[in-house]
Structures are given as C-alpha cells and as structure tokens.
Amino acid sequence: MLYILALLIGVVAGLRAMTAPAAVAWGSYLGWLPVAGTWASFMGHWAAVGIFTILAIVELVTDQLPSTPSRKVPQQFGARIIAGAFSGAVIGATGGATIGGLIAGAIGAAIGTLGGAEARGRLAASFGKDPPAAFIEDAVAIIGGLLIVAAVA
C-alpha cells in the first residue's frame, strides 16, 4: 500500500512539482506522516511547511503565465521527477522503505507529467483556452496530494 501511495504522490508531482512536497510537509507537520526518527523528520518542521507551501503557490501562479515552458522540456520534466522521487521517499520512510518510495515516486512523476500534459491539452482544447484547464489541474493536484498524505495516516 505504501508503494501505491508513493506512486500516487509522484503523479501529483507530475501535475504540480511543488504541490507534492508541500502536501508531504503539511502531512508531516500535522502528524499524519510519522516521519519522526527518520531522515525525513525535518519535513515536520514549520520551516519546511512554509518553504514548500510558498514554492507551491509560486508554481501555481507562474503556471498560469503564457511564458511558462512546457512540462516536457528537460528542466521541467527533471524537476517533476525529482519532486516526485523526494515526496515518494518521504512517504516510503514512514514504513522503512525509502528507496522503494523514491522509485515509485519517480515513476509516478513520469506518469503524471506525461499524462497530465496530455489531459491538460485536451481540457484546454475543449474550453478553447488554457486557464480553466490549469485551474482544474491545480484542484486535482492539491486535493489529491492531501488525500494521499491523509491515507498514509
């Protein structure tokens, strides 16, 4: 079950790179993710919550800009894989499966990045413009991330 949740948080990172670590930080801070005593214990600190939340908000805002590059360019794709792997590793650490969580999170991020780009393109085409599709993607990522983290608890 832990690997499935790590894969799913990776999918969230594929949709929104910083939303996944923000959800994991909030879950750790609220005690939903038992990271105390693991390498990921710093995620339960208020500073980690603040940093990742600010980064997630900045990403949500900048993704609405017309100059935002495609998530498939190497830098964007790489950032999403790293965020997914990191978030998956934190979830894996709660059960002593850091490496497995890292791998599952990275795979999930690749799935979320490629599938999310396809879904967003189709949504944007059906709306005739991109902002409504981006807002739907934002909502799915935020709600999904919080539900995944809550499921670990």
Side-chain angles (χ1 to χ4, degrees), residues 73-106:
V73 300
Q75 298 87 348
Q76 292 275 342
F77 190 76
R80 291 169 190 275
I81 297 297
I82 291 168
F86 172 73
S87 300
V90 172
I91 287 179
T94 66
T98 298
I99 300 299
L102 182 139
I103 293 168

mmCIF file of all heavy atoms in Angstrom, residues 73-106:
data_model
loop_
_atom_site.group_PDB
_atom_site.id
_atom_site.type_symbol
_atom_site.label_atom_id
_atom_site.label_comp_id
_atom_site.label_asym_id
_atom_site.label_seq_id
_atom_site.Cartn_x
_atom_site.Cartn_y
_atom_site.Cartn_z
ATOM 1 N N VAL A 73 9.809 19.871 -21.347
ATOM 2 C CA VAL A 73 11.197 20.274 -21.588
ATOM 3 C C VAL A 73 12.045 19.652 -20.489
ATOM 4 O O VAL A 73 11.568 19.423 -19.371
ATOM 5 C CB VAL A 73 11.372 21.816 -21.648
ATOM 6 C CG1 VAL A 73 10.547 22.410 -22.767
ATOM 7 C CG2 VAL A 73 11.033 22.471 -20.337
ATOM 8 N N PRO A 74 13.310 19.334 -20.784
ATOM 9 C CA PRO A 74 14.121 18.583 -19.817
ATOM 10 C C PRO A 74 14.171 19.176 -18.408
ATOM 11 O O PRO A 74 14.094 18.430 -17.428
ATOM 12 C CB PRO A 74 15.512 18.570 -20.467
ATOM 13 C CG PRO A 74 15.229 18.669 -21.929
ATOM 14 C CD PRO A 74 14.019 19.546 -22.052
ATOM 15 N N GLN A 75 14.276 20.486 -18.274
ATOM 16 C CA GLN A 75 14.363 21.076 -16.941
ATOM 17 C C GLN A 75 13.065 20.876 -16.158
ATOM 18 O O GLN A 75 13.087 20.533 -14.971
ATOM 19 C CB GLN A 75 14.685 22.578 -17.016
ATOM 20 C CG GLN A 75 15.994 22.894 -17.659
ATOM 21 C CD GLN A 75 15.894 23.021 -19.179
ATOM 22 O OE1 GLN A 75 14.900 22.675 -19.799
ATOM 23 N NE2 GLN A 75 16.965 23.507 -19.786
ATOM 24 N N GLN A 76 11.945 21.124 -16.791
ATOM 25 C CA GLN A 76 10.649 20.951 -16.130
ATOM 26 C C GLN A 76 10.405 19.475 -15.797
ATOM 27 O O GLN A 76 9.963 19.135 -14.706
ATOM 28 C CB GLN A 76 9.512 21.463 -17.031
ATOM 29 C CG GLN A 76 9.505 22.943 -17.241
ATOM 30 C CD GLN A 76 8.786 23.656 -16.132
ATOM 31 O OE1 GLN A 76 8.025 23.064 -15.390
ATOM 32 N NE2 GLN A 76 9.022 24.937 -15.999
ATOM 33 N N PHE A 77 10.674 18.604 -16.761
ATOM 34 C CA PHE A 77 10.471 17.170 -16.567
ATOM 35 C C PHE A 77 11.360 16.669 -15.423
ATOM 36 O O PHE A 77 10.912 15.943 -14.547
ATOM 37 C CB PHE A 77 10.761 16.421 -17.871
ATOM 38 C CG PHE A 77 10.357 14.980 -17.848
ATOM 39 C CD1 PHE A 77 9.028 14.619 -17.970
ATOM 40 C CD2 PHE A 77 11.304 13.989 -17.713
ATOM 41 C CE1 PHE A 77 8.646 13.288 -17.949
ATOM 42 C CE2 PHE A 77 10.938 12.649 -17.692
ATOM 43 C CZ PHE A 77 9.608 12.298 -17.813
ATOM 44 N N GLY A 78 12.629 17.075 -15.445
ATOM 45 C CA GLY A 78 13.561 16.664 -14.395
ATOM 46 C C GLY A 78 13.141 17.136 -13.021
ATOM 47 O O GLY A 78 13.228 16.386 -12.037
ATOM 48 N N ALA A 79 12.676 18.380 -12.937
ATOM 49 C CA ALA A 79 12.230 18.914 -11.647
ATOM 50 C C ALA A 79 11.044 18.123 -11.110
ATOM 51 O O ALA A 79 10.959 17.857 -9.901
ATOM 52 C CB ALA A 79 11.858 20.391 -11.787
ATOM 53 N N ARG A 80 10.144 17.730 -11.969
ATOM 54 C CA ARG A 80 8.971 16.961 -11.544
ATOM 55 C C ARG A 80 9.371 15.558 -11.092
ATOM 56 O O ARG A 80 8.828 15.039 -10.113
ATOM 57 C CB ARG A 80 7.934 16.924 -12.648
ATOM 58 C CG ARG A 80 7.316 18.301 -12.878
ATOM 59 C CD ARG A 80 6.478 18.350 -14.152
ATOM 60 N NE ARG A 80 6.110 19.708 -14.470
ATOM 61 C CZ ARG A 80 5.059 20.351 -13.965
ATOM 62 N NH1 ARG A 80 4.270 19.740 -13.117
ATOM 63 N NH2 ARG A 80 4.799 21.596 -14.305
ATOM 64 N N ILE A 81 10.336 14.949 -11.786
ATOM 65 C CA ILE A 81 10.812 13.626 -11.382
ATOM 66 C C ILE A 81 11.483 13.713 -10.006
ATOM 67 O O ILE A 81 11.247 12.873 -9.131
ATOM 68 C CB ILE A 81 11.806 13.060 -12.431
ATOM 69 C CG1 ILE A 81 11.118 12.870 -13.792
ATOM 70 C CG2 ILE A 81 12.432 11.748 -11.942
ATOM 71 C CD1 ILE A 81 9.996 11.875 -13.820
ATOM 72 N N ILE A 82 12.314 14.733 -9.811
ATOM 73 C CA ILE A 82 12.991 14.900 -8.518
ATOM 74 C C ILE A 82 11.978 15.143 -7.405
ATOM 75 O O ILE A 82 12.072 14.546 -6.324
ATOM 76 C CB ILE A 82 14.030 16.040 -8.595
ATOM 77 C CG1 ILE A 82 15.187 15.613 -9.501
ATOM 78 C CG2 ILE A 82 14.523 16.438 -7.210
ATOM 79 C CD1 ILE A 82 16.128 16.731 -9.884
ATOM 80 N N ALA A 83 10.996 16.008 -7.648
ATOM 81 C CA ALA A 83 9.974 16.282 -6.632
ATOM 82 C C ALA A 83 9.165 15.026 -6.317
ATOM 83 O O ALA A 83 8.854 14.753 -5.146
ATOM 84 C CB ALA A 83 9.046 17.405 -7.091
ATOM 85 N N GLY A 84 8.837 14.253 -7.340
ATOM 86 C CA GLY A 84 8.098 13.012 -7.122
ATOM 87 C C GLY A 84 8.914 11.980 -6.366
ATOM 88 O O GLY A 84 8.420 11.316 -5.449
ATOM 89 N N ALA A 85 10.188 11.851 -6.744
ATOM 90 C CA ALA A 85 11.069 10.899 -6.063
ATOM 91 C C ALA A 85 11.249 11.292 -4.600
ATOM 92 O O ALA A 85 11.178 10.438 -3.702
ATOM 93 C CB ALA A 85 12.412 10.832 -6.779
ATOM 94 N N PHE A 86 11.470 12.569 -4.347
ATOM 95 C CA PHE A 86 11.645 13.052 -2.976
ATOM 96 C C PHE A 86 10.382 12.809 -2.151
ATOM 97 O O PHE A 86 10.440 12.266 -1.043
ATOM 98 C CB PHE A 86 12.000 14.542 -2.984
ATOM 99 C CG PHE A 86 12.008 15.158 -1.618
ATOM 100 C CD1 PHE A 86 13.028 14.890 -0.723
ATOM 101 C CD2 PHE A 86 10.984 16.005 -1.224
ATOM 102 C CE1 PHE A 86 13.027 15.444 0.549
ATOM 103 C CE2 PHE A 86 10.969 16.566 0.032
ATOM 104 C CZ PHE A 86 11.999 16.283 0.928
ATOM 105 N N SER A 87 9.232 13.188 -2.692
ATOM 106 C CA SER A 87 7.971 13.027 -1.963
ATOM 107 C C SER A 87 7.664 11.552 -1.722
ATOM 108 O O SER A 87 7.204 11.171 -0.641
ATOM 109 C CB SER A 87 6.831 13.695 -2.721
ATOM 110 O OG SER A 87 7.086 15.074 -2.879
ATOM 111 N N GLY A 88 7.917 10.724 -2.728
ATOM 112 C CA GLY A 88 7.728 9.279 -2.564
ATOM 113 C C GLY A 88 8.660 8.704 -1.518
ATOM 114 O O GLY A 88 8.280 7.820 -0.737
ATOM 115 N N ALA A 89 9.907 9.198 -1.478
ATOM 116 C CA ALA A 89 10.873 8.731 -0.481
ATOM 117 C C ALA A 89 10.425 9.088 0.924
ATOM 118 O O ALA A 89 10.604 8.295 1.858
ATOM 119 C CB ALA A 89 12.255 9.319 -0.771
ATOM 120 N N VAL A 90 9.845 10.275 1.102
ATOM 121 C CA VAL A 90 9.350 10.666 2.426
ATOM 122 C C VAL A 90 8.214 9.738 2.850
ATOM 123 O O VAL A 90 8.177 9.254 3.985
ATOM 124 C CB VAL A 90 8.893 12.144 2.452
ATOM 125 C CG1 VAL A 90 8.212 12.481 3.766
ATOM 126 C CG2 VAL A 90 10.075 13.078 2.208
ATOM 127 N N ILE A 91 7.308 9.454 1.930
ATOM 128 C CA ILE A 91 6.217 8.527 2.259
ATOM 129 C C ILE A 91 6.787 7.141 2.549
ATOM 130 O O ILE A 91 6.389 6.471 3.493
ATOM 131 C CB ILE A 91 5.162 8.500 1.140
ATOM 132 C CG1 ILE A 91 4.364 9.804 1.181
ATOM 133 C CG2 ILE A 91 4.237 7.289 1.276
ATOM 134 C CD1 ILE A 91 3.308 9.956 0.127
ATOM 135 N N GLY A 92 7.751 6.704 1.743
ATOM 136 C CA GLY A 92 8.388 5.417 1.986
ATOM 137 C C GLY A 92 9.099 5.356 3.325
ATOM 138 O O GLY A 92 9.118 4.305 3.979
ATOM 139 N N ALA A 93 9.681 6.456 3.747
ATOM 140 C CA ALA A 93 10.411 6.499 5.023
ATOM 141 C C ALA A 93 9.500 6.210 6.207
ATOM 142 O O ALA A 93 9.963 5.715 7.233
ATOM 143 C CB ALA A 93 11.082 7.862 5.203
ATOM 144 N N THR A 94 8.217 6.478 6.066
ATOM 145 C CA THR A 94 7.292 6.215 7.172
ATOM 146 C C THR A 94 7.170 4.723 7.455
ATOM 147 O O THR A 94 6.768 4.345 8.547
ATOM 148 C CB THR A 94 5.890 6.803 6.897
ATOM 149 O OG1 THR A 94 5.304 6.114 5.788
ATOM 150 C CG2 THR A 94 5.955 8.283 6.617
ATOM 151 N N GLY A 95 7.513 3.894 6.467
ATOM 152 C CA GLY A 95 7.446 2.449 6.656
ATOM 153 C C GLY A 95 8.783 1.772 6.472
ATOM 154 O O GLY A 95 8.846 0.570 6.254
ATOM 155 N N GLY A 96 9.858 2.550 6.510
ATOM 156 C CA GLY A 96 11.192 1.981 6.345
ATOM 157 C C GLY A 96 11.507 1.550 4.930
ATOM 158 O O GLY A 96 12.353 0.697 4.710
ATOM 159 N N ALA A 97 10.836 2.125 3.956
ATOM 160 C CA ALA A 97 11.020 1.753 2.559
ATOM 161 C C ALA A 97 11.381 2.975 1.719
ATOM 162 O O ALA A 97 10.743 3.256 0.710
ATOM 163 C CB ALA A 97 9.755 1.099 2.027
ATOM 164 N N THR A 98 12.405 3.690 2.134
ATOM 165 C CA THR A 98 12.781 4.936 1.465
ATOM 166 C C THR A 98 13.102 4.726 -0.011
ATOM 167 O O THR A 98 12.594 5.465 -0.863
ATOM 168 C CB THR A 98 13.983 5.582 2.175
ATOM 169 O OG1 THR A 98 13.606 5.890 3.512
ATOM 170 C CG2 THR A 98 14.425 6.847 1.474
ATOM 171 N N ILE A 99 13.940 3.742 -0.336
ATOM 172 C CA ILE A 99 14.355 3.535 -1.733
ATOM 173 C C ILE A 99 13.167 3.124 -2.597
ATOM 174 O O ILE A 99 12.980 3.627 -3.707
ATOM 175 C CB ILE A 99 15.484 2.482 -1.819
ATOM 176 C CG1 ILE A 99 16.698 2.933 -1.020
ATOM 177 C CG2 ILE A 99 15.860 2.195 -3.264
ATOM 178 C CD1 ILE A 99 17.317 4.222 -1.499
ATOM 179 N N GLY A 100 12.341 2.216 -2.091
ATOM 180 C CA GLY A 100 11.148 1.814 -2.833
ATOM 181 C C GLY A 100 10.205 2.978 -3.067
ATOM 182 O O GLY A 100 9.642 3.140 -4.145
ATOM 183 N N GLY A 101 10.033 3.822 -2.049
ATOM 184 C CA GLY A 101 9.188 5.005 -2.190
ATOM 185 C C GLY A 101 9.763 5.984 -3.188
ATOM 186 O O GLY A 101 9.035 6.579 -3.977
ATOM 187 N N LEU A 102 11.098 6.130 -3.169
ATOM 188 C CA LEU A 102 11.771 7.021 -4.109
ATOM 189 C C LEU A 102 11.534 6.570 -5.549
ATOM 190 O O LEU A 102 11.172 7.369 -6.412
ATOM 191 C CB LEU A 102 13.272 7.036 -3.802
ATOM 192 C CG LEU A 102 14.129 7.961 -4.652
ATOM 193 C CD1 LEU A 102 15.153 8.655 -3.771
ATOM 194 C CD2 LEU A 102 14.831 7.196 -5.732
ATOM 195 N N ILE A 103 11.697 5.275 -5.792
ATOM 196 C CA ILE A 103 11.499 4.735 -7.148
ATOM 197 C C ILE A 103 10.041 4.866 -7.571
ATOM 198 O O ILE A 103 9.738 5.308 -8.680
ATOM 199 C CB ILE A 103 11.976 3.268 -7.213
ATOM 200 C CG1 ILE A 103 13.495 3.214 -7.036
ATOM 201 C CG2 ILE A 103 11.552 2.613 -8.522
ATOM 202 C CD1 ILE A 103 14.046 1.828 -6.795
ATOM 203 N N ALA A 104 9.119 4.502 -6.684
ATOM 204 C CA ALA A 104 7.688 4.613 -7.008
ATOM 205 C C ALA A 104 7.297 6.064 -7.270
ATOM 206 O O ALA A 104 6.532 6.352 -8.196
ATOM 207 C CB ALA A 104 6.851 4.020 -5.880
ATOM 208 N N GLY A 105 7.826 6.991 -6.460
ATOM 209 C CA GLY A 105 7.524 8.406 -6.658
ATOM 210 C C GLY A 105 8.044 8.925 -7.988
ATOM 211 O O GLY A 105 7.368 9.699 -8.672
ATOM 212 N N ALA A 106 9.241 8.496 -8.378
ATOM 213 C CA ALA A 106 9.805 8.928 -9.664
ATOM 214 C C ALA A 106 8.985 8.390 -10.830
ATOM 215 O O ALA A 106 8.704 9.110 -11.799
ATOM 216 C CB ALA A 106 11.258 8.473 -9.778
#
